[in-house]
Amino acid sequence: MSATSHGGLLALVREHGGLSRQQMLDVTGMSRGTLVARLDALARLGYIYEAEALAPTGGRPARRVRFDDRGRVVLAVDLGQTHARVAVTDLAGRELRGSASDVQIADPGVLAAALDSGAALLAGGRGERLVGVGIGVPAAVDPASGTVVHPTTIPGWAPGAVRDAVRERWTVPLVVENDARAGAVGESRGPDETLVHVKLSMGIGCGIVVGGEVLRGAAGLAGDIGHVRVGPATGPLCRCGRRGCLAAYASGRALLERLGGSLGDLVAAQFDPTVAAALTEAADVLGTALATTVTTVNPHRLVLGGTLGPLPLVVERVRRQIHETVTERAWPVVEAGTSGATVTGLARLVVAAAYAPEAVDAAVAAAPRPP
């Protein structure tokens, strides 16, 4: 990335929280005329603005050039197998307005209903500018195209269903991501941390963040631990068609097949001896399976999210299995996830995509020239 391109200049301004023109000239070494022209283009497109005056040095006081995040918002849609969370956030991922509903992800109307909710939430704001849309789905996603691959949980969805539905409504940057990976981004505390995030709800998903970057893998399957075989080939049947997968033993769906009810019922009855025993067994299987991931990645933290992951019994049993299976030097902090991590992660991913230097350069190049 060149610091003298339009996108490079914006990245420089964002990194420093604002700079004067002279400071930018000192850092980049570019000519004043080129700098002024590029800053004018960024200002016309709403990327920057002139903020507070700096201390006078004689003559006309200089002003700090800042990144224009005023009124900028992201639409984040977290689609789980049995829930949907739709939110309008600021660029830091803080939710401004939101709605939640129970869904069945295989229902072909789920996506349109969620986008309708998003449109209504956006209409409820004043003076806002949508910079991008993030959609989290409980399936593997191709990192290059944003299409759904290996849709075990959403078999009725066409690969490009999410992308095409959003494009019909908004012409802004779009990020489509696996929900567990988006949750990992939302849980991440910065580029110095290695994090493993496991979502335990109806299914089991996993996201890994290293150095501030989420791992996606060659085919978008990094962290797809739910379909690792942990039992014999004669074990319980998984939705993927194989037997003995981790999800067939330890997912919320596997628990409900044994106990009945809903995930909410499991949470409400977590201290019932029968339910607690089933949760303990599932968490032990999950913790043992995660030992390989922990040893391979060596994370600072292992965060358990979703509906069932944060339950104290689950966190403690997973921690115990990790401690019994992994060498002490590799023990991570094992803790419950935070509510809304997937929405936060989607917002962060959208902001990273919308304001990437190459995206800014492309937007400037495509904009009409001033008369």
Side-chain angles (χ1 to χ4, degrees):
M1 177 197 75
S2 171
T4 61
S5 73
H6 295 89
L9 284 173
L10 181 63
L12 192 65
V13 169
R14 293 182 65 201
E15 177 185 355
H16 292 276
L19 293 168
S20 70
R21 284 175 167 77
Q22 186 58 53
Q23 288 172 323
M24 283 184 266
L25 289 172
D26 294 341
V27 171
T28 64
M30 62 197 307
S31 71
R32 184 174 294 276
T34 300
L35 175 68
V36 170
R38 291 186 175 169
L39 291 180
D40 284 347
L42 290 172
R44 282 196 306 273
L45 293 178
Y47 286 114
I48 59 172
Y49 69 103
E50 285 197 342
E52 72 277 12
L54 301 173
T57 57
R60 180 183 176 184
R63 288 188 173 274
R64 191 182 304 277
V65 176
R66 289 193 180 276
F67 168 54
D68 198 346
D69 60 354
R70 300 171 300 179
R72 271 52 172 178
V73 297
V74 171
L75 176 62
V77 180
D78 173 18
L79 295 175
Q81 294 190 41
T82 59
H83 83 281
R85 179 73 190 172
V86 184
V88 174
T89 78
D90 64 15
L91 298 193
R94 292 182 290 261
E95 185 173 316
L96 304 176
R97 301 180 297 282
S99 65
S101 59
D102 294 330
V103 301
Q104 291 299 321
I105 195 64
D107 182 346
V110 165
L111 179 58
L115 297 183
D116 285 344
S117 295
L121 290 171
L122 288 170
R126 290 187 176 181
E128 293 176 344
R129 178 171 174 176
L130 179 67
V131 303
V133 177
I135 311 287
V137 295
V141 175
D142 178 77
S145 65
T147 56
V148 175
V149 296
H150 304 294
T152 302
T153 56
I154 46 177
W157 292 35
V162 177
R163 180 194 59 205
D164 296 343
V166 173
R167 291 286 181 239
E168 290 178 359
R169 298 171 183 252
W170 299 288
T171 57
V172 293
L174 167 66
V175 171
V176 184
E177 185 55 277
N178 169 264
D179 55 354
R181 284 207 296 258
V185 175
E187 293 285 3
S188 175
R189 293 175 179 169
D192 296 329
E193 180 182 56
T194 297
L195 170 79
V196 172
H197 169 258
V198 177
K199 179 181 178 181
L200 178 59
S201 289
M202 285 298 284
I204 299 175
C206 177
I208 302 168
V209 175
V210 179
E213 298 292 331
V214 63
L215 299 184
R216 295 185 173 88
L221 294 171
D224 189 16
I225 63 172
H227 299 290
V228 173
R229 180 173 285 165
V230 297
T234 56
L237 181 66
C238 181
R239 294 189 77 200
C240 72
R242 297 169 7 121
R243 290 186 178 274
C245 293
L246 175 61
Y249 286 98
S251 67
R253 185 179 301 278
L255 289 168
L256 294 182
E257 287 175 354
R258 295 168 53 188
L259 301 172
S262 66
L263 293 181
D265 295 332
L266 292 183
V267 173
Q270 61 184 288
F271 300 110
D272 175 85
T274 300
V275 174
L279 287 169
T280 296
E281 183 178 345
D284 286 348
V285 174
L286 177 61
T288 301
L290 284 171
T292 300
T293 301
V294 166
T295 302
T296 302
V297 178
N298 189 203
H300 294 89
R301 290 190 298 140
L302 169 60
V303 179
L304 300 173
T307 303
L308 302 178
L311 297 180
L313 183 153
V314 174
V315 174
E316 178 54 36
R317 296 301 301 193
V318 169
R319 181 187 295 117
R320 179 177 299 184
Q321 289 301 316
I322 295 294
H323 287 184
E324 290 181 356
T325 311
V326 175
T327 180
E328 184 174 354
R329 296 189 304 277
W331 287 356
V333 173
V334 181
E335 61 188 19
T338 55
S339 176
T342 299
V343 164
T344 299
L346 288 169
R348 289 176 177 177
L349 289 168
V350 167
V351 169
Y355 295 106
E358 58 272 20
V360 174
D361 290 340
V364 172
R369 300 294 180 186

